[in-house]
Amino acid sequence: MAASKSIESPSVLETPVAPPPGAPPAIRVSDLHKSFRIPTHKVDSLKERMVRPLSSRDFRVLEALRGISFEVRQGEFFGIVGRNGSGKSTLLKLLASIYRADSGKIEMAGRLAPFIELGVGFNAELTARENIVLNGVMMGLTPQETRNRLEAVVEFAELEEFVDLKLKNYSSGMLVRLAFSLMREVDADILLIDEVLAVGDASFQQKCADAFHAMKSAGKTIVLVTHDVVAVEAYCHRAMLIRDGEIAHIGEPGEVGRQYLRLNFEHSGNPTPTGSIGEGDEIRVVGARLVDEGGAEVGSVEHGSPIRLRLELEAVRDLPGVDVFFSVNDADGASVSKFGVTVGDLERRELRAGQSVQIEAELDNPLAPGRYHFNCGINLAFTGDVVLFVPNVVGFVVFGSSNDYGMVQIPVDIRATVDEAER
């Protein structure tokens, strides 16, 4: 393969059009299976091995991948997301031929360059200059090609003053900057990249973002494994969510990101246990929870989806009715919103002892991603006397793929009118 020029970050980034559906596949994976044998007992000493000679043969089987099948088209930026232990890193190592599959088929059309962990292969006793040449050759460049690109690698990494310093004297940040910069110079058709976006300080991260956009514009086929759904939406043409070794969803990056966030937060929050959770002399709160559209209890809500609160009260003695107030508070205790309702037979001004009251509230959800909770206060109707206050009656998490909402996202209709300039 002829040597290609290094990728330069354009001054103005344009979002490239996704590869056409008819583009030939660069990667085709068919019914891929991979499992590992995990020992159930670890033998640490010779004595233990002699006493229990067969213990090392005891193991359990972990199915990391269970029949994965998908295609990545040439020129496509393809994202893979999933929770820890879902199988995404195993898949990447199978694509890179680090692991051997139990069954299934992997087909690659083009020259492959895996970047499973930045900096692997560096020799700490050699200088940056020597490591660049050595690793460039390992990645398929000739020694002369690597030397020709050395200046570009060092300049991008901002390490001109340290190029002849041994890597053992480099900080961890300098090492990953050097590794990322070297990765840009690889003449490969397919790049496999695992979690390398958070490299260096803020200014260098922007350079990395520009470099990724440039790779995308240059038509490189890139498979990116990451937990960062914002990066998936920013860079990828398509994405795939893996759950428990299987494909849970594949398609548009935004939807895959939302599915991944729902998966992450489906057990978050702190739903209140069953039973009395706030008790006073006049009234008690028996239960409080958030529910989804079907009525099932949840601990998290996606930004923009309604927040459905359910609260159950029980009168301890006869009351002249009560006013129930709620406040939505963020993690620091700041009140975001307040609302309330009056409970009881107001004509007779009566709420009888033992009567149960169910309160249902549905709120719009402009809240920024983060942790929140409801406080609940109950006053006697007509007099305003406080009979019960329950802080953090139920907690929940709002999740979303963007962090630029502020505290809330307020709907707004905004327009600008420009008068014609007088001639």
Side-chain angles (χ1 to χ4, degrees), residues 175-233:
L175 283 172
V176 293
R177 280 158 49 193
L178 179 63
F180 185 93
S181 183
L182 185 58
M183 182 191 74
R184 296 173 62 251
E185 299 296 328
V186 176
D187 288 334
D189 305 301
I190 303 170
L191 301 176
L192 305 180
I193 305 172
D194 187 8
E195 291 286 13
V196 299
L197 297 178
V199 177
D201 54 25
S203 62
F204 192 80
Q205 286 183 32
Q206 183 57 53
K207 290 179 67 174
C208 294
D210 294 345
F212 269 106
H213 280 293
M215 291 178 190
K216 184 176 179 179
S217 300
K220 297 279 188 181
T221 302
I222 302 173
V223 176
L224 173 66
V225 170
T226 181
H227 290 285
D228 188 350
V229 295
V230 176
V232 169
E233 292 187 37

Side-chain angles (χ1 to χ4, degrees), residues 164-302:
D164 292 312
L165 187 66
K166 290 185 177 181
L167 293 196
K168 66 181 181 181
N169 297 314
Y170 270 34
S171 68
S172 58
M174 294 166 71
L175 283 172
V176 293
R177 280 158 49 193
L178 179 63
F180 185 93
S181 183
L182 185 58
M183 182 191 74
R184 296 173 62 251
E185 299 296 328
V186 176
D187 288 334
D189 305 301
I190 303 170
L191 301 176
L192 305 180
I193 305 172
D194 187 8
E195 291 286 13
V196 299
L197 297 178
V199 177
D201 54 25
S203 62
F204 192 80
Q205 286 183 32
Q206 183 57 53
K207 290 179 67 174
C208 294
D210 294 345
F212 269 106
H213 280 293
M215 291 178 190
K216 184 176 179 179
S217 300
K220 297 279 188 181
T221 302
I222 302 173
V223 176
L224 173 66
V225 170
T226 181
H227 290 285
D228 188 350
V229 295
V230 176
V232 169
E233 292 187 37
Y235 301 118
C236 297
H237 298 112
R238 286 191 305 143
M240 178 172 71
L241 170 62
I242 297 182
R243 179 177 188 175
D244 297 330
E246 299 177 337
I247 296 176
H249 191 80
I250 186 168
E252 192 270 326
E255 178 57 29
V256 171
R258 287 187 288 273
Q259 294 275 1
Y260 173 58
L261 288 170
R262 292 188 190 109
L263 177 63
N264 269 275
F265 288 101
E266 63 183 3
H267 300 301
S268 63
N270 54 330
T272 306
T274 303
S276 178
I277 58 173
E279 188 162 355
D281 295 333
E282 289 84 10
I283 197 166
R284 63 172 174 260
V285 178
V286 178
R289 66 191 187 280
L290 295 188
V291 298
D292 61 16
E293 190 174 6
E297 186 172 4
V298 297
S300 59
V301 184
E302 185 174 3

